Amino acid sequence: MIHVVKLGGSLSHDERLATWLEMLAQHGSGRVVIVPGGGPYADVVRAQQQRWRFSDEHAHRMAVLAMDQFALQLQAMNPALVLAPTLAKISAVVANNQVAIWLPSQMVLSDKTIATSWDSTSDSLAAWLARSLHADRLTLVKSCDIAAGATISGLTQLGIVDRGFMQMTANAAYLIQIISASDHGLFEATLMQSWD
C-alpha cells in the first residue's frame, strides 16, 4: 500500500508541522510518500511575478523549485525522512522501509503535459504523483479547518485546493481525503489501522 501525503506549504510556520513529520516518520515507514507544498518559497515567486510581470510558465518552474526547497526543509527538520526525486528512488526508499519526501522538479519540469499555471499547484502535483505511483491513498493536509462532508468542488470554490485538482483526480483509482492539520490524532490512528 502506498499513501501519498501532501503537507501544505501553509504549515511551514505552523508548530504542528514537526509533529506531523515525526508521526509520518514513525508510522509511515515503507508506505508513505510526502509531497511538499511550496510554502513561503512559492509566496516569493508569486510576489516577484506580480512585481515583474513574467510569464506563468516561468513562475510555474520557479514554484516547482520552491517545492524542492520546502522538501529540503522538511528533511532538515526530520533527517529520518529520505529525499527522492524519481519514481525509482521513491520505490527504493519505500522498499527499504523508509518514508520518502518527493523532490518534484526533476519529474515535473521534464513532463510537458503538466499545466504551467497557478491553476495546478502542489495539490494537483500530489494527485499526479499518486497516479504515477499507483497509490492507494492521497491525503492533502491543510492548515485551515475542513468542514465535515466538504467536497472537492466546494473546497476548490473556497480556494482551499487548487483549480486543477478536480480534473487531475477525475476517475482516480485511489482514495482521496482532505483534512486539517488539527486532525493529526485521527489521521495517526487511521494510518496505523490501515497497515494492520
mmCIF file of all heavy atoms in Angstrom, residues 89-108:
data_model
loop_
_atom_site.group_PDB
_atom_site.id
_atom_site.type_symbol
_atom_site.label_atom_id
_atom_site.label_comp_id
_atom_site.label_asym_id
_atom_site.label_seq_id
_atom_site.Cartn_x
_atom_site.Cartn_y
_atom_site.Cartn_z
ATOM 1 N N LYS A 89 13.650 6.095 -7.277
ATOM 2 C CA LYS A 89 14.180 6.387 -5.948
ATOM 3 C C LYS A 89 13.089 6.268 -4.886
ATOM 4 O O LYS A 89 13.331 5.738 -3.793
ATOM 5 C CB LYS A 89 14.792 7.791 -5.926
ATOM 6 C CG LYS A 89 15.342 8.218 -4.568
ATOM 7 C CD LYS A 89 16.478 7.337 -4.081
ATOM 8 C CE LYS A 89 17.067 7.883 -2.785
ATOM 9 N NZ LYS A 89 18.137 7.007 -2.258
ATOM 10 N N ILE A 90 11.887 6.748 -5.201
ATOM 11 C CA ILE A 90 10.777 6.600 -4.258
ATOM 12 C C ILE A 90 10.540 5.132 -3.955
ATOM 13 O O ILE A 90 10.395 4.725 -2.794
ATOM 14 C CB ILE A 90 9.488 7.255 -4.812
ATOM 15 C CG1 ILE A 90 9.645 8.782 -4.841
ATOM 16 C CG2 ILE A 90 8.274 6.857 -3.968
ATOM 17 C CD1 ILE A 90 8.529 9.487 -5.578
ATOM 18 N N SER A 91 10.491 4.307 -5.002
ATOM 19 C CA SER A 91 10.261 2.866 -4.825
ATOM 20 C C SER A 91 11.361 2.234 -3.983
ATOM 21 O O SER A 91 11.091 1.380 -3.128
ATOM 22 C CB SER A 91 10.184 2.174 -6.189
ATOM 23 O OG SER A 91 9.070 2.644 -6.921
ATOM 24 N N ALA A 92 12.609 2.670 -4.188
ATOM 25 C CA ALA A 92 13.725 2.123 -3.419
ATOM 26 C C ALA A 92 13.626 2.507 -1.945
ATOM 27 O O ALA A 92 13.888 1.690 -1.056
ATOM 28 C CB ALA A 92 15.046 2.611 -4.008
ATOM 29 N N VAL A 93 13.224 3.745 -1.690
ATOM 30 C CA VAL A 93 13.065 4.213 -0.304
ATOM 31 C C VAL A 93 11.969 3.414 0.393
ATOM 32 O O VAL A 93 12.140 2.942 1.531
ATOM 33 C CB VAL A 93 12.754 5.721 -0.269
ATOM 34 C CG1 VAL A 93 12.381 6.162 1.150
ATOM 35 C CG2 VAL A 93 13.943 6.527 -0.770
ATOM 36 N N VAL A 94 10.845 3.269 -0.282
ATOM 37 C CA VAL A 94 9.723 2.518 0.298
ATOM 38 C C VAL A 94 10.127 1.062 0.530
ATOM 39 O O VAL A 94 9.827 0.477 1.578
ATOM 40 C CB VAL A 94 8.487 2.620 -0.623
ATOM 41 C CG1 VAL A 94 7.398 1.656 -0.183
ATOM 42 C CG2 VAL A 94 7.958 4.052 -0.631
ATOM 43 N N ALA A 95 10.813 0.470 -0.453
ATOM 44 C CA ALA A 95 11.254 -0.921 -0.321
ATOM 45 C C ALA A 95 12.229 -1.097 0.834
ATOM 46 O O ALA A 95 12.317 -2.183 1.430
ATOM 47 C CB ALA A 95 11.891 -1.397 -1.624
ATOM 48 N N ASN A 96 12.933 -0.023 1.190
ATOM 49 C CA ASN A 96 13.879 -0.056 2.301
ATOM 50 C C ASN A 96 13.204 0.276 3.634
ATOM 51 O O ASN A 96 13.878 0.536 4.638
ATOM 52 C CB ASN A 96 15.030 0.931 2.038
ATOM 53 C CG ASN A 96 16.248 0.645 2.884
ATOM 54 O OD1 ASN A 96 16.619 -0.504 3.114
ATOM 55 N ND2 ASN A 96 16.889 1.707 3.360
ATOM 56 N N ASN A 97 11.876 0.274 3.611
ATOM 57 C CA ASN A 97 11.074 0.504 4.818
ATOM 58 C C ASN A 97 11.315 1.875 5.432
ATOM 59 O O ASN A 97 11.394 2.037 6.648
ATOM 60 C CB ASN A 97 11.320 -0.589 5.857
ATOM 61 C CG ASN A 97 10.156 -0.728 6.836
ATOM 62 O OD1 ASN A 97 8.993 -0.587 6.452
ATOM 63 N ND2 ASN A 97 10.453 -0.992 8.089
ATOM 64 N N GLN A 98 11.424 2.891 4.550
ATOM 65 C CA GLN A 98 11.593 4.267 4.990
ATOM 66 C C GLN A 98 10.467 5.125 4.409
ATOM 67 O O GLN A 98 9.630 4.646 3.641
ATOM 68 C CB GLN A 98 12.954 4.798 4.526
ATOM 69 C CG GLN A 98 14.141 4.069 5.141
ATOM 70 C CD GLN A 98 15.453 4.474 4.511
ATOM 71 O OE1 GLN A 98 15.690 4.220 3.336
ATOM 72 N NE2 GLN A 98 16.312 5.116 5.294
ATOM 73 N N VAL A 99 10.467 6.392 4.793
ATOM 74 C CA VAL A 99 9.481 7.353 4.292
ATOM 75 C C VAL A 99 10.180 8.302 3.332
ATOM 76 O O VAL A 99 11.226 8.876 3.655
ATOM 77 C CB VAL A 99 8.831 8.146 5.444
ATOM 78 C CG1 VAL A 99 7.918 9.245 4.906
ATOM 79 C CG2 VAL A 99 8.057 7.199 6.364
ATOM 80 N N ALA A 100 9.596 8.470 2.148
ATOM 81 C CA ALA A 100 10.184 9.328 1.117
ATOM 82 C C ALA A 100 9.573 10.716 1.158
ATOM 83 O O ALA A 100 8.382 10.877 1.437
ATOM 84 C CB ALA A 100 9.969 8.717 -0.265
ATOM 85 N N ILE A 101 10.408 11.720 0.876
ATOM 86 C CA ILE A 101 9.927 13.073 0.582
ATOM 87 C C ILE A 101 10.250 13.327 -0.887
ATOM 88 O O ILE A 101 11.418 13.265 -1.295
ATOM 89 C CB ILE A 101 10.611 14.153 1.435
ATOM 90 C CG1 ILE A 101 10.434 13.884 2.925
ATOM 91 C CG2 ILE A 101 10.045 15.535 1.084
ATOM 92 C CD1 ILE A 101 11.165 14.904 3.799
ATOM 93 N N TRP A 102 9.216 13.601 -1.645
ATOM 94 C CA TRP A 102 9.394 13.813 -3.078
ATOM 95 C C TRP A 102 10.033 15.163 -3.373
ATOM 96 O O TRP A 102 9.568 16.205 -2.887
ATOM 97 C CB TRP A 102 8.034 13.729 -3.755
ATOM 98 C CG TRP A 102 8.045 13.791 -5.258
ATOM 99 C CD1 TRP A 102 8.942 13.216 -6.101
ATOM 100 C CD2 TRP A 102 7.075 14.446 -6.080
ATOM 101 N NE1 TRP A 102 8.593 13.474 -7.414
ATOM 102 C CE2 TRP A 102 7.455 14.232 -7.426
ATOM 103 C CE3 TRP A 102 5.927 15.197 -5.805
ATOM 104 C CZ2 TRP A 102 6.726 14.729 -8.493
ATOM 105 C CZ3 TRP A 102 5.190 15.694 -6.865
ATOM 106 C CH2 TRP A 102 5.590 15.459 -8.193
ATOM 107 N N LEU A 103 11.112 15.142 -4.159
ATOM 108 C CA LEU A 103 11.684 16.345 -4.768
ATOM 109 C C LEU A 103 11.107 16.416 -6.176
ATOM 110 O O LEU A 103 11.530 15.668 -7.062
ATOM 111 C CB LEU A 103 13.211 16.243 -4.837
ATOM 112 C CG LEU A 103 14.009 16.459 -3.558
ATOM 113 C CD1 LEU A 103 15.444 15.983 -3.755
ATOM 114 C CD2 LEU A 103 13.995 17.923 -3.149
ATOM 115 N N PRO A 104 10.129 17.265 -6.439
ATOM 116 C CA PRO A 104 9.348 17.158 -7.677
ATOM 117 C C PRO A 104 9.998 17.699 -8.946
ATOM 118 O O PRO A 104 9.586 17.342 -10.048
ATOM 119 C CB PRO A 104 8.088 17.954 -7.359
ATOM 120 C CG PRO A 104 8.530 18.960 -6.357
ATOM 121 C CD PRO A 104 9.574 18.272 -5.525
ATOM 122 N N SER A 105 11.009 18.562 -8.843
ATOM 123 C CA SER A 105 11.419 19.319 -10.031
ATOM 124 C C SER A 105 11.877 18.441 -11.190
ATOM 125 O O SER A 105 11.539 18.705 -12.346
ATOM 126 C CB SER A 105 12.501 20.331 -9.671
ATOM 127 O OG SER A 105 13.659 19.691 -9.174
ATOM 128 N N GLN A 106 12.636 17.407 -10.904
ATOM 129 C CA GLN A 106 13.175 16.574 -11.985
ATOM 130 C C GLN A 106 12.057 15.948 -12.809
ATOM 131 O O GLN A 106 12.085 15.970 -14.050
ATOM 132 C CB GLN A 106 14.086 15.490 -11.412
ATOM 133 C CG GLN A 106 14.744 14.626 -12.490
ATOM 134 C CD GLN A 106 15.766 13.659 -11.896
ATOM 135 O OE1 GLN A 106 16.378 13.924 -10.867
ATOM 136 N NE2 GLN A 106 15.962 12.537 -12.560
ATOM 137 N N MET A 107 11.055 15.388 -12.145
ATOM 138 C CA MET A 107 9.958 14.726 -12.850
ATOM 139 C C MET A 107 9.001 15.726 -13.491
ATOM 140 O O MET A 107 8.607 15.592 -14.650
ATOM 141 C CB MET A 107 9.191 13.816 -11.884
ATOM 142 C CG MET A 107 9.960 12.580 -11.459
ATOM 143 S SD MET A 107 9.064 11.617 -10.202
ATOM 144 C CE MET A 107 7.545 11.207 -11.084
ATOM 145 N N VAL A 108 8.633 16.749 -12.729
ATOM 146 C CA VAL A 108 7.588 17.674 -13.195
ATOM 147 C C VAL A 108 8.081 18.543 -14.349
ATOM 148 O O VAL A 108 7.377 18.719 -15.354
ATOM 149 C CB VAL A 108 7.090 18.551 -12.030
ATOM 150 C CG1 VAL A 108 6.148 19.641 -12.534
ATOM 151 C CG2 VAL A 108 6.391 17.691 -10.981
#
